[in-house]
Amino acid sequence: MEFEGRAPFAVDGLPPSCETWYKVFGDLKDISKVPLFVLHGGPQAGHEYLLSLRDLHEPIIFYDQVGCGKSTTGLPEQTGDGSWWTSQLHCKELSNLIAHLGLEHRPIDVIGHSWGGMLASEWASDRVRAKNLRRLVLYSSLASIEGHVKGLEETRALLPQDVQSTIERGLKDQDFESPELKDAMDVFLTGYVSLSQPFPCDEVKPAFVNLATSKLHKIVWGPHFLVPSGLIRSWTSIPFLHQIQVPTLMTRGSVEYIPDSAMQPFFDLIPKIKWITFENAAHFSHIEQREKFLTEVRHFLAD
């Protein structure tokens, strides 16, 4: 059983006609089952690259965060004004979607990948907002942008010296479209972001296309993958992580670009947390170590 729809989403600063697109696999009317919400990365990567998680659990709900994919786009980012964008806006959007589906009084689980995990950690830290949250999965995510920037430096230091020098020069000159920088970034991306070949593989290609073509992504994140200097630059979950009281699973790939240090605050501050590292995986463990990933997450959700 599957169906899709649109949830009206009225938020100050956004057009009154805003909608969140969603797709559900499974029967939401079966109260013996706990619905699982999937929060995609980016920001603005869209839901497509996570669709294989439908084999993880039913019912499962995928959605595109407003501003990308099949949800309302063409927002004020076209004029360069992304001031309406905040992580709190997307927390409200998740709560709005839960209510739209009539699930605000039923236990739910949430899994967030990358930026989606950042958003999930912030949403889950509000005990009133997340009162019906049962389990939380933070998948290849980070606890703060400050920690992430330091982590990127750690990962770049693992690259060959000539690649490091090319990236450093390209970022310093802000020549983000230079062939030399793109070639150096291919080394970084294929070593620490996605191990699947060809790169990007068909499953993750939609996310890379969405990020490359989204004006809003550049406003929110910054001008380059390695330069998180946009509206998100001061984001942190660290002050409120102790407020997450539900059992939490944190996962990462053993060779991904987000190092242990950027995720450590989750483990240190969330009271009930388990940490799993998937060997021979980068940022997309659900693809690179599919069976192990599905088995571990299923076990956690069923526990």
Side-chain angles (χ1 to χ4, degrees), residues 16-178:
S17 58
C18 257
E19 295 177 320
T20 301
W21 175 91
Y22 61 88
K23 186 165 189 175
V24 180
F25 294 92
D27 185 4
L28 289 181
K29 295 180 181 179
D30 186 347
I31 61 173
S32 69
K33 297 181 179 179
V34 179
L36 173 64
F37 285 80
V38 181
L39 280 58
H40 66 71
Q44 285 78 56
H47 76 284
E48 295 99 329
Y49 76 100
L50 292 169
L51 275 174
S52 64
L53 292 181
R54 62 174 293 185
D55 295 331
L56 176 64
H57 180 87
E58 282 193 0
I60 188 168
I61 301 102
F62 299 89
Y63 72 100
D64 285 329
Q65 296 156 26
V66 69
C68 76
K70 297 181 179 181
S71 292
T72 301
T73 57
L75 294 166
E77 76 272 13
Q78 292 183 334
T79 63
D81 176 20
S83 58
W84 56 269
W85 188 96
T86 65
S87 55
Q88 276 295 310
L89 177 143
H90 288 299
C91 286
K92 292 177 181 178
E93 181 181 27
L94 176 56
S95 295
N96 180 75
L97 178 58
I98 292 169
H100 174 80
L101 293 172
L103 300 174
E104 66 269 44
H105 301 300
R106 276 182 51 191
I108 64 167
D109 296 333
V110 169
I111 179 171
H113 175 247
S114 197
W115 150 248
M118 297 161 64
L119 172 60
S121 69
E122 182 172 346
W123 180 85
S125 70
D126 186 317
R127 297 180 192 178
V128 175
R129 178 170 58 204
K131 61 184 180 298
N132 58 328
L133 180 64
R134 189 189 70 104
R135 294 283 190 275
L136 174 66
V137 181
L138 304 176
Y139 165 25
S140 288
S141 192
L142 51 112
S144 73
I145 294 297
E146 181 180 8
H148 181 54
V149 170
K150 293 178 181 177
L152 287 172
E153 293 173 356
E154 293 177 31
T155 306
R156 283 167 55 186
L158 301 174
L159 294 166
Q161 187 58 55
D162 61 327
V163 176
Q164 291 186 50
S165 298
T166 300
I167 291 176
E168 182 177 357
R169 183 168 57 252
L171 297 182
K172 182 179 180 180
D173 296 342
Q174 298 188 18
D175 188 7
F176 302 133
E177 299 302 317
S178 74

Side-chain angles (χ1 to χ4, degrees), residues 1-21:
M1 178 179 182
E2 62 183 73
F3 65 94
E4 61 184 74
R6 295 180 178 275
F9 180 43
V11 177
D12 291 344
L14 292 181
S17 58
C18 257
E19 295 177 320
T20 301
W21 175 91

Side-chain angles (χ1 to χ4, degrees), residues 162-209:
D162 61 327
V163 176
Q164 291 186 50
S165 298
T166 300
I167 291 176
E168 182 177 357
R169 183 168 57 252
L171 297 182
K172 182 179 180 180
D173 296 342
Q174 298 188 18
D175 188 7
F176 302 133
E177 299 302 317
S178 74
E180 295 79 11
L181 178 58
K182 289 184 176 181
D183 288 344
M185 282 301 299
D186 281 345
V187 177
F188 181 92
L189 293 170
T190 56
Y192 301 101
V193 177
S194 177
L195 304 184
S196 301
Q197 293 295 326
F199 173 82
C201 67
D202 288 344
E203 193 164 346
V204 301
K205 188 178 293 183
F208 283 91
V209 171

